[in-house]
């Protein structure tokens, strides 16, 4: 069974641009979560989607948004990029929106903002 | 507000040693606690998931325990190997209705050959 895939793996953008990251969950998984990982703040929760609906949201500005499609694939978008948005963005999938589910992580997208 | 702390931040041990990594959390209202491993620049690999009703879980050389009342979990690694070198993260899943995961800052482990 293929794992969680994220594209692209690396991305370089300049301040003010916008970026879209993609995540394909494990086949059969319907819940997708997004995290930002930086050396200073560690791993921080961005949002979680289940059945195309956002179920949870972390404490990030409105420049960060996401969506989930009917096939459970998810995208996150960051508009008006800032230097501080440079980070590893991780996506995780789980079977359903149940607190007992295990999360499986993808390899991440490394975003560098110049 | 739930806070998750991992001590020590970094650890260096000779190969073959048994070691314990610690994770503490401030609010016992959790559904579960999960231990992950992260290799440099890579994603997270799930190691063990302990439900709030469980006391411990074992997988191979790994054993994780959970004491919800005291807000503590430990990850025990037996007979450490250089391949165990990585950052180990614990995460608690809130039971406050949001089911959010709160991650610790990690312990960077280096096992010397």
């Amino acid at each position: 069974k293929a794992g969680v895939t994220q594209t692209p793996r690396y991305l370089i953008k300049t301040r003010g641009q916008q970026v879209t990251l993609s995540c394909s969950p494990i086949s059969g998984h319907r819940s997708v979560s997004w995290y930002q990982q930086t050396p200073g703040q560690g791993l921080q929760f961005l949002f979680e989607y289940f059945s195309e609906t956002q179920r949870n949201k972390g404490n990030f500005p409105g420049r960060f948004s996401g969506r989930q499609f009917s096939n459970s694939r998810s995208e996150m978008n960051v508009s008006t990029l800032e230097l501080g948005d440079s980070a590893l963005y991780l996506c995780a999938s789980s079977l359903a929106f149940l607190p007992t589910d295990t999360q499986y992580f993808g390899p991440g997208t490394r975003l560098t903002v110049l | 507000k739930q806070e998750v702390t991992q001590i020590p931040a970094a650890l260096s041990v000779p190969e073959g040693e048994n070691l314990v990594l610690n994770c503490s959390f401030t609010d016992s209202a959790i559904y579960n606690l999960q231990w992950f491993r992260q290799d440099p620049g890579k994603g997270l690999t799930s190691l063990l998931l302990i439900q709030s009703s469980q006391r411990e879980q074992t997988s191979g050389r790994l054993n994780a325990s959970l004491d919800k009342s005291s807000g503590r979990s430990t990850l025990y690694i037996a007979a450490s190997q250089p391949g165990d070198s990585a950052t180990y993260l614990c995460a608690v899943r809130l039971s406050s209705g949001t089911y959010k995961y709160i991650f610790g800052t990690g312990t960077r482990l280096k096992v010397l050959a």
Side-chain angles (χ1 to χ4, degrees):
Chain A
K1 203 181 220 183
V4 179
T5 57
Q6 292 187 245
T7 57
R9 293 292 313 279
Y10 302 91
L11 207 49
I12 299 175
K13 292 285 187 178
T14 56
R15 277 182 299 175
Q17 287 187 309
Q18 75 164 20
V19 66
T20 299
L21 312 181
S22 180
C23 171
S24 293
I26 291 172
S27 178
H29 284 196
R30 295 168 61 198
S31 180
V32 173
S33 299
W34 288 90
Y35 296 85
Q36 181 196 66
Q37 186 176 33
T38 60
Q41 299 296 319
L43 252 163
Q44 292 186 289
F45 172 78
L46 279 157
F47 25 66
E48 180 173 15
Y49 286 86
F50 177 72
S51 292
E52 302 177 65
T53 301
Q54 187 180 89
R55 301 299 177 121
N56 279 314
K57 191 177 189 308
N59 298 323
F60 278 82
R63 300 185 297 107
F64 292 81
S65 63
R67 59 177 175 168
Q68 186 181 34
F69 302 95
S70 58
N71 62 358
S72 295
R73 190 177 70 86
S74 177
E75 288 181 348
M76 68 162 280
N77 184 76
V78 188
S79 62
T80 319
L81 284 166
E82 301 177 359
L83 295 178
D85 297 332
S86 294
L88 181 66
Y89 289 88
L90 293 164
C91 161
S93 78
S94 56
L95 198 56
F97 189 64
L98 294 173
T100 51
D101 285 339
T102 300
Q103 288 200 318
Y104 296 90
F105 281 78
T109 293
R110 172 75 63 185
L111 172 65
T112 302
V113 182
L114 302 175
Chain B
K1 182 189 169 188
Q2 177 74 270
E3 290 183 4
V4 182
T5 306
Q6 290 187 247
I7 294 173
L11 185 61
S12 188
V13 300
E15 182 178 6
E17 266 204 16
N18 301 323
L19 55 101
V20 174
L21 306 182
N22 297 294
C23 171
S24 61
F25 46 97
T26 55
D27 187 344
S28 62
I30 64 170
Y31 265 117
N32 58 48
L33 183 145
Q34 196 164 356
W35 281 94
F36 295 90
R37 167 192 171 132
Q38 185 175 32
D39 293 285
K42 303 286 180 62
L44 277 64
T45 300
S46 177
L47 297 173
L48 291 164
L49 171 69
I50 312 176
Q51 304 296 349
S52 62
S53 58
Q54 297 174 320
R55 296 287 297 195
E56 65 179 307
Q57 282 286 338
T58 298
S59 176
R61 294 183 294 109
L62 305 179
N63 175 278
S65 67
L66 174 64
D67 184 342
K68 223 174 67 161
S69 59
S70 66
R72 298 179 67 175
S73 175
T74 60
L75 178 66
Y76 175 83
I77 303 177
S80 59
Q81 303 169 357
D84 295 329
S85 298
T87 296
Y88 290 80
L89 294 148
C90 69
V92 297
R93 189 147 204 182
L94 303 180
S95 62
S96 60
T98 65
Y99 303 161
K100 287 183 194 178
Y101 268 109
I102 306 296
F103 278 81
T105 48
T107 294
R108 194 168 59 255
L109 172 67
K110 189 167 186 178
V111 181
L112 306 169

